[in-house]
Amino acid sequence: MGKAAALCGGGGGNGSTRGLVSLLSAVPCLACQELPAMSAEPGGRGGGGPAGGPPAAPGSDTYKGWLFKWTNYLKGYQRRWFVLSNGLLSYYRTQAEMAHTCRGTINLSTAHIDTEDSCNIVLSNGGRTYHLKANSEVERQRWVTALELAKAKAIRMRNNQSDDSGDEEPASQSDKSELHSTLKTLSSKLEDLSTCNDLIAKHGAALQRSLSELENLKLPAESGEKIKAVNERATLFRITSNAMINACRDFLDLAETHSRKWQRMLQYEREQRIRLEETIEQLAKQHNSLERACRGAPGLSSSSTGITSTAKGSVQSAKGEASDEDEETEYFDAMEDAPAFITVTADPKHHRRSGSNLSGASEGHPEDWNLEDSVFESSNQSSYNESTCKDLLPKKRRRTRIPDKPNYSLNLWSIMKNCIGKELSKIPMPVNFNEPLSMLQRLTEDLEYHELLDKAVKCESSTEQMCFVAAFSVSSYSTTVHRTAKPFNPLLGETYELDRLEEFGFRSLCEQVSHHPPAAAHHVYSKRGWTLWQEITIASKFRGKYLSIMPLGAIHLEFHSSGNHYVWRKVTSTVHNIIVGKLWIDQSGEIEIVNHKSKDKCQLKFTPYSYFSRDVPRKVTGVVSDADGKAHYVMSGTWDEKMECSKIVQSSHGSTSTEGKQKTVYQTLSPKVLWKKYPLPENAENMYFFSDLALTLNEPEERVAPTDSRLRPDQRLMESGRWDEANVEKQRLEEKQRAVRRRREAEAVEALEEGKDYEGYIPLWFERKVDAVTGELICVYKGGYWEAKDKQDWSTCPDIF
């Protein structure tokens, strides 16, 4: 009934609620029939538009309007503009403020909605309470109906998100059946019906009370009979709506019971198909070996034509001598969203002689794949052998160890059981969960394999350069395989510099530019021809069994000479066995690297770990293609060990898989190693599994800013093994930061009362700008830090420690 009132008033709804109009259209709107004169006031004083019209356009997912909000005892209720969207209720002083300043937001999924009197609404969510007042009872009822529907939808969305487990098999995520999707839709519709049923029961009871009151009045006999008939019809309507809901619930239970049986049958068929494909692949390899043996046998022509068949496609082998490299043929599984492909290693000697006979959807020139003319390194030689590592040692002697980690026991569950569903950055954690590095220093660790970018500068081909950029994007995860401890959350205004200009040719600067949500800005300049910048916000959720860490924000990389501008984003990290068992970390998702100058792309797929998968753990695969979609290189490897690149010399369309995807077969030359992980230092397991670079990041250094992470006392005490003192110091710093935040909030309130604009916290070395490439508002380096360091003028730095 309340929904009908909102619809009569012009309130909008999303696609799921529009389908309920037909259900409720037959129900008379009590508010619209009995109180026709109590519409919103002209001039925008009501809950709707300027003339009391619809608060939102039909079909939209947003409800807007004016309400009066209690502020304080001096000012009482003040008129505010409220916007209800995606389960969040936000308010602004004026409609114009929607573009830049939100005064407050409350999440309806955990909020309690109460009505004090005919015009008041009370919303409470934890420690936050909004006392609101509408102009009329009709307007109040429209808002209550919209809030209740938005709350029900927000709860469903939250439950669906919490049910997503990072431990599920990839097959169950990518191959969801149509039946399962239909059941989810039915569940959603049933929830809508249940919500409407509750509203109908609520307003129906109110209607019956009103009719009962009319029966008690002294009215003519004929009027009394009619009122009694209407009362009986209202009762029948409530009974019918309850019966409808129960029938829908029985239907859904029956469908779910049968769906489990069908899903088991479908899973069995999937396993059978996978076993069949594996068998055919083995047969194809054996056929290939027999074919080579026949070509190499006496009396047989070495130029005979051979056909290499696979389970997922076929590749025409060109004429030529047999090669031992055929035994290293690899078959890559297709990525979920990227085009499916298979790679087969070709004979480089043969292709050099008959390259002109290559045919297919994408042709290459194998004669370009030479060690003399290419910056790529050969596959049988590590790109980072011992001699190379010695050449890369810094000129300045750095420390090679830190104090061993103390063996302190801690009851993890006693702390984490109250953190389920909460933002990790808002939970006070003891240093026992930390490692003695801040998030700014962990962000700087992405530069451990900066040599990849130095080599990329020398590439003349943009697609070849893309391969090195892709390897660099994967290398940043290599240090995380054993690093399950949490870095320190930086204080607002905290900075970290890494000046390796003379040793490695680059200098890096990070600054914490926001506290809630936590955001760090990073800028790196290299005199060898590249600049990297990013603003990363870390969103983390504790789900009980695992912790999901979602880095938000784009990474920008620009090469000075060519002007190639690459942009990509990080994948999701998942820490498993939070409660029981040994902690381990996994990376999953996809990275799309785009060169915004040449429009080249690289799609990288991080395959999530599955106990039932036969793939190599931590597998990464991808394809580098140009602006026309023509594939040039295949990337393969693991994010914790190495990445290889194979040049494509021929591609052809293979057979269509059972999922309906078109398989593409890439015939490639032998792979070459682009990146290989450095070995960990000796005794790394007792030093938080730090790499050689990580051991030097917190090394004391002179002339740094007073806000530098190296000077943070709690982090320094933890590194020295004095954890109890570190916990006390950590609590002191956090309380100091809270006091600064409270003072800043008081200044904002004072500015608001005076009608002035309050800018809030302004970063010291970075400024917010709209990125010309992505169109996003990000923090970019505005200069001045290194000049201040040369002068040792830190007068502008805040006192945060």
Side-chain angles (χ1 to χ4, degrees):
M1 185 79 77
K3 180 63 179 174
L7 291 171
C8 292
N14 56 22
S16 62
T17 56
R18 285 201 303 271
L20 300 176
V21 176
S22 59
L23 172 67
L24 301 176
S25 59
V27 184
C29 179
L30 181 62
C32 296
Q33 287 189 357
E34 294 185 6
L35 301 169
M38 296 184 66
S39 59
E41 296 179 0
R45 300 292 294 178
S60 68
D61 199 21
T62 304
Y63 197 90
K64 305 176 183 178
W66 291 103
L67 288 172
F68 291 91
K69 179 182 180 296
W70 174 264
T71 55
N72 52 52
Y73 285 99
L74 294 177
K75 295 191 175 183
Y77 283 95
Q78 295 292 320
R79 186 167 173 261
R80 296 290 183 260
W81 179 255
F82 280 82
V83 177
L84 174 60
S85 178
N86 296 326
L88 300 175
L89 181 67
S90 307
Y91 74 93
Y92 310 84
R93 290 187 65 189
T94 63
Q95 297 185 40
E97 276 194 349
M98 290 179 62
H100 54 84
T101 305
C102 176
R103 301 294 174 176
T105 300
I106 191 167
N107 191 339
L108 294 178
S109 63
T110 55
H112 177 69
I113 304 172
D114 193 14
T115 52
E116 290 182 342
D117 54 32
S118 60
C119 294
N120 282 34
I121 307 172
V122 179
L123 294 177
S124 58
N125 184 354
R128 180 176 301 179
T129 302
Y130 289 173
H131 293 268
L132 310 177
K133 180 186 289 185
N135 276 337
S136 65
E137 185 176 358
V138 175
E139 181 185 331
R140 192 281 308 267
Q141 189 55 52
R142 291 175 180 171
W143 273 103
V144 170
T145 302
L147 291 170
E148 287 177 342
L149 287 173
K151 177 181 178 180
K153 182 177 180 182
I155 292 174
R156 289 200 304 272
M157 293 177 62
R158 184 186 64 183
N159 293 338
N160 291 338
Q161 290 178 358
S162 63
D163 290 340
D164 294 337
S165 172
D167 298 333
E168 292 181 1
E169 299 180 26
S172 64
Q173 295 178 351
S174 61
D175 300 328
K176 289 182 179 178
S177 64
E178 182 180 357
L179 174 64
H180 185 62
S181 176
T182 304
L183 286 174
K184 291 188 69 175
T185 304
L186 288 173
S187 299
S188 176
K189 296 297 181 184
L190 182 61
E191 292 292 338
D192 289 339
L193 291 174
S194 298
T195 303
C196 292
N197 179 66
D198 295 339
L199 293 174
I200 289 171
K202 176 180 177 181
H203 297 297
L207 176 60
Q208 284 186 333
R209 286 196 300 270
S210 299
L211 293 174
S212 298
E213 292 173 358
L214 289 176
E215 287 182 6
N216 296 329
L217 297 177
K218 295 180 179 180
L219 295 174
E222 183 179 355
S223 300
E225 292 296 329
K226 289 184 178 180
I227 291 174
K228 186 175 296 184
V230 172
N231 198 356
E232 291 176 354
R233 291 178 181 177
T235 304
L236 289 174
F237 179 77
R238 291 182 60 193
I239 295 173
T240 305
S241 64
N242 289 332
M244 176 187 63
I245 293 295
N246 293 332
C248 292
R249 185 173 287 109
D250 293 341
F251 169 75
L252 183 63
D253 293 340
L254 183 62
E256 286 180 343
T257 302
H258 286 281
S259 74
R260 285 191 288 269
K261 179 179 68 175
W262 295 332
Q263 285 175 351
R264 286 195 298 269
M265 296 173 62
L266 182 61
Q267 182 63 26
Y268 174 77
E269 294 297 331
R270 263 198 214 107
E271 293 173 354
Q272 290 291 97
R273 175 178 58 81
I274 292 173
R275 281 195 288 269
L276 180 61
E277 287 181 350
E278 291 172 350
T279 302
I280 298 178
E281 283 183 1
Q282 293 296 327
L283 290 174
K285 292 180 180 180
Q286 294 175 11
H287 175 79
N288 203 11
S289 300
L290 291 173
E291 192 175 68
R292 287 200 314 275
C294 290
R295 287 201 302 265
L300 294 178
S301 172
S302 61
S303 61
S304 60
T305 302
I307 306 296
T308 302
S309 303
T310 68
K312 304 175 183 179
S314 61
V315 178
Q316 177 77 27
S317 297
K319 302 175 182 179
E321 297 177 357
S323 171
D324 293 336
E325 292 174 356
D326 290 340
E327 296 177 358
E328 299 174 358
T329 300
E330 298 183 42
Y331 299 85
F332 294 92
D333 292 335
M335 294 185 292
E336 288 184 15
D337 298 327
F341 68 93
I342 311 163
T343 63
V344 179
T345 306
D347 186 350
K349 296 180 180 179
H350 159 70
H351 281 286
R352 286 196 185 98
R353 291 198 299 270
S354 58
S356 60
N357 296 327
L358 293 175
S359 62
S362 174
E363 297 183 358
H365 299 282
E367 59 272 10
D368 297 337
W369 193 249
N370 297 325
L371 296 181
E372 296 80 13
D373 302 329
S374 175
V375 293
F376 291 105
E377 295 180 356
S378 62
S379 59
N380 57 4
Q381 178 184 0
S382 172
S383 59
Y384 297 102
N385 51 35
E386 294 181 1
S387 61
T388 304
C389 292
K390 291 178 181 178
D391 294 339
L392 296 177
L393 286 175
K395 297 177 182 178
K396 182 180 178 180
R397 185 174 181 83
R398 304 282 179 181
R399 67 180 185 181
T400 58
R401 66 174 295 106
I402 59 174
D404 287 353
K405 175 182 178 181
N407 187 18
Y408 286 164
S409 60
L410 184 67
N411 187 356
L412 179 65
W413 177 241
S414 64
I415 297 175
M416 298 298 286
K417 66 181 179 180
N418 297 321
C419 306
I420 297 177
K422 296 182 180 179
E423 187 73 22
L424 192 64
S425 59
K426 298 181 181 179
I427 301 170
M429 288 285 184
V431 299
N432 306 57
F433 295 108
N434 288 36
E435 62 180 15
L437 288 179
S438 75
M439 180 58 70
L440 302 182
Q441 292 165 313
R442 283 292 293 267
L443 200 60
T444 308
E445 275 192 75
D446 290 355
L447 302 172
E448 181 158 13
Y449 299 95
H450 60 89
E451 299 91 352
L452 291 168
L453 302 182
D454 296 338
K455 292 182 180 182
V457 173
K458 304 174 184 177
C459 296
E460 297 180 359
S461 168
S462 60
T463 54
E464 187 176 292
Q465 190 177 71
M466 176 69 82
C467 294
F468 281 100
V469 175
F472 174 78
S473 68
V474 176
S475 69
S476 62
Y477 298 98
S478 62
T479 59
T480 64
V481 63
H482 300 297
R483 301 272 291 278
T484 55
K486 175 182 176 290
F488 279 79
N489 289 332
L491 303 174
L492 186 61
E494 185 175 335
T495 61
Y496 180 73
E497 68 160 74
L498 187 67
D499 192 352
R500 298 288 191 268
L501 195 63
E502 299 301 326
E503 301 164 20
F504 298 132
F506 73 87
R507 53 178 25 167
S508 165
L509 176 66
C510 292
E511 180 182 356
Q512 188 75 359
V513 296
S514 174
H515 186 60
H516 285 305
H522 186 202
H523 183 271
V524 188
Y525 167 78
S526 173
K527 64 181 181 182
R528 296 178 182 172
W530 53 270
T531 300
L532 183 144
W533 66 96
Q534 59 180 321
E535 181 185 353
I536 296 296
T537 300
I538 301 296
S540 52
K541 289 293 183 182
F542 176 56
R543 301 296 188 184
K545 294 189 300 182
Y546 64 95
L547 174 70
S548 295
I549 303 171
M550 295 79 70
L552 308 176
I555 304 172
H556 297 257
L557 172 65
E558 186 174 15
F559 292 96
H560 303 162
S561 58
S562 63
N564 289 332
H565 188 157
Y566 298 88
V567 179
W568 70 93
R569 301 174 189 273
K570 290 180 174 287
V571 296
T572 299
S573 302
T574 306
V575 183
H576 296 269
N577 293 343
I578 293 291
I579 305 302
V580 179
K582 183 179 179 182
L583 291 175
W584 61 278
I585 195 167
D586 193 23
Q587 315 289 346
S588 59
E590 292 187 4
I591 293 180
E592 182 183 60
I593 308 175
V594 180
N595 183 347
H596 285 270
K597 181 182 179 183
S598 64
K599 306 304 179 184
D600 297 340
K601 289 186 179 181
C602 177
Q603 293 276 357
L604 291 175
K605 169 69 182 290
F606 287 66
T607 305
Y609 174 80
S610 174
Y611 179 80
F612 301 98
S613 175
R614 297 191 179 186
D615 283 335
V616 177
R618 310 179 185 97
K619 179 181 177 182
V620 180
T621 55
V623 176
V624 176
S625 56
D626 58 21
D628 299 325
K630 178 181 176 181
H632 290 266
Y633 298 97
V634 171
M635 305 290 297
S636 60
T638 57
W639 53 263
D640 68 323
E641 185 179 352
K642 66 178 180 179
M643 284 298 293
E644 296 178 338
C645 176
S646 303
K647 185 167 185 176
I648 299 172
V649 295
Q650 178 177 315
S651 67
S652 60
H653 296 301
S655 61
T656 302
S657 67
T658 55
E659 295 87 356
K661 294 182 179 180
Q662 179 73 38
K663 299 286 186 178
T664 301
V665 181
Y666 294 129
Q667 192 169 6
T668 67
L669 298 180
S670 56
K672 298 184 178 178
V673 176
L674 298 184
W675 160 75
K676 190 172 184 180
K677 180 186 176 182
Y678 295 141
L680 289 175
E682 186 179 356
N683 195 37
E685 63 276 6
N686 294 322
M687 298 187 295
Y688 308 91
F689 288 98
F690 282 176
S691 63
D692 287 326
L693 174 64
L695 290 173
T696 67
L697 292 180
N698 206 43
E699 185 177 7
E701 192 167 325
E702 298 178 353
R703 298 175 59 83
V704 298
T707 54
D708 197 90
S709 300
R710 298 176 179 89
L711 304 178
R712 183 165 173 166
D714 53 350
Q715 186 173 301
R716 181 65 61 190
L717 288 169
M718 182 194 176
E719 184 183 273
S720 302
R722 299 154 62 183
W723 285 15
D724 293 335
E725 298 174 55
N727 278 317
V728 174
E729 195 66 20
K730 183 173 183 287
Q731 186 175 1
R732 180 188 69 82
L733 292 176
E734 290 175 349
E735 184 55 40
K736 182 178 181 179
Q737 183 170 239
R738 293 189 193 101
V740 174
R741 187 175 72 247
R742 287 193 293 266
R743 185 174 68 249
R744 196 174 287 118
E745 291 173 351
E747 292 174 355
V749 172
E750 182 179 352
L752 179 63
E753 293 175 349
E754 296 176 359
K756 300 178 181 179
D757 292 333
Y758 184 74
E759 295 182 350
Y761 176 77
I762 301 176
L764 187 58
W765 309 110
F766 290 78
E767 60 182 349
R768 292 208 170 273
K769 288 185 177 180
V770 176
D771 184 72
V773 175
T774 62
E776 299 175 350
L777 187 66
I778 64 171
C779 272
V780 296
Y781 179 59
K782 64 181 180 181
Y785 179 86
W786 303 108
E787 292 78 5
K789 181 180 179 181
D790 293 338
K791 299 177 183 178
Q792 281 299 289
D793 180 12
W794 305 115
S795 57
T796 58
C797 293
D799 177 21
I800 60 175
F801 297 146

